[in-house]
Amino acid sequence: MKVLIDEQSIKNRVAEVAKQIDSDFANKDFILVCILKGAFMFTAELAKNIKSENVSFEFMAVSSYGNEKRSSGKIKIVKDIDVDVQGKNIVIIEDIVDTGLTMEFLVGYFKNKGANCIKVCALLDKKDCRKVEARVDYCCFDIEDRFVIGYGLDYAQKYRNLPYIAEYTGGNNE
Ligand code: IMP
């Protein structure tokens, strides 16, 4: 395992991104939608840094991977949000945007539900791996095409608890 982004660097960068979100949504109600499971730690760190009194949080779980390292492309909602998003401002919080398939699905989903404004916030962006177009409005770090774990990200449901982001160098299951 090789550490790519240490805990302090993540904290510093997440604080900057939280500030940007605060300023873009000044005096507006908005909902941060945490995409489980991967974005749980990132969302918590963002939440601690957002100062707005107009923010609320929702949690949604999608699955596309099983225990593989690349998206199957078949995205399934495992847990939906509990509120009506018609006319609401949404910021989707993802751990990582890779092929873009999950984000394409999620943005389409919230558009269909009539959200007013849909922004995407990702801890990590693997830009070179896109199969479909997926815009990231708030990105903490761009990374190269390598499989990463930690800070919420897993390999076969493990390593989510690491407080930093590391490259997974264990056995290959692709
Ligand atoms: P996409 O649909 O290919 O963009 O993949 C998005 C999802 O795949 C993310 O929410 C992660 O759950 C997972 N994922 C993609 N790359 C990695 C990685 O390097 N480590 C762990 N999970 C990943």
Side-chain angles (χ1 to χ4, degrees), residues 108-121:
Y109 181 78
F110 286 113
K111 258 189 202 154
N112 268 342
K113 296 252 173 196
N116 172 47
C117 153
I118 305 161
K119 300 277 187 200
V120 173
C121 175

Side-chain angles (χ1 to χ4, degrees), residues 35-39 62 64-65 68-73 75 94-104 124 126 129-130 134 143 146-150 153-155 160:
I35 307 302
L36 298 170
K37 301 173 187 170
V62 296
S64 71
Y65 269 49
E68 314 290 303
K69 286 198 201 159
R70 269 268 127 81
S71 174
S72 64
I75 291 109
E94 253 288 35
D95 52 356
I96 186 165
V97 180
D98 181 19
T99 62
L101 288 162
T102 307
M103 202 41 78
E104 182 188 50
L124 303 169
K126 279 194 212 169
C129 300
R130 290 291 197 282
I143 59 161
R146 43 179 84 170
F147 197 83
V148 291
I149 49 170
L153 291 111
D154 73 308
Y155 174 63
R160 293 192 196 275

Side-chain angles (χ1 to χ4, degrees), residues 43-132:
T43 303
E45 190 62 31
L46 266 179
K48 288 191 280 179
N49 284 280
I50 284 182
K51 305 277 181 265
S52 170
E53 291 179 0
N54 303 315
V55 64
S56 59
F57 292 84
E58 289 294 328
F59 297 85
M60 183 169 180
V62 296
S63 79
S64 71
Y65 269 49
N67 284 347
E68 314 290 303
K69 286 198 201 159
R70 269 268 127 81
S71 174
S72 64
K74 290 188 202 97
I75 291 109
K76 200 170 72 188
I77 297 180
V78 178
K79 180 211 174 307
D80 206 345
I81 54 168
D82 306 321
V83 294
D84 180 7
V85 296
Q86 172 88 36
K88 301 278 173 63
N89 301 316
I90 305 286
V91 184
I92 302 171
I93 312 295
E94 253 288 35
D95 52 356
I96 186 165
V97 180
D98 181 19
T99 62
L101 288 162
T102 307
M103 202 41 78
E104 182 188 50
F105 170 86
L106 288 169
V107 170
Y109 181 78
F110 286 113
K111 258 189 202 154
N112 268 342
K113 296 252 173 196
N116 172 47
C117 153
I118 305 161
K119 300 277 187 200
V120 173
C121 175
L123 176 65
L124 303 169
D125 190 353
K126 279 194 212 169
K127 278 204 177 76
D128 297 340
C129 300
R130 290 291 197 282
K131 286 189 183 156
V132 292

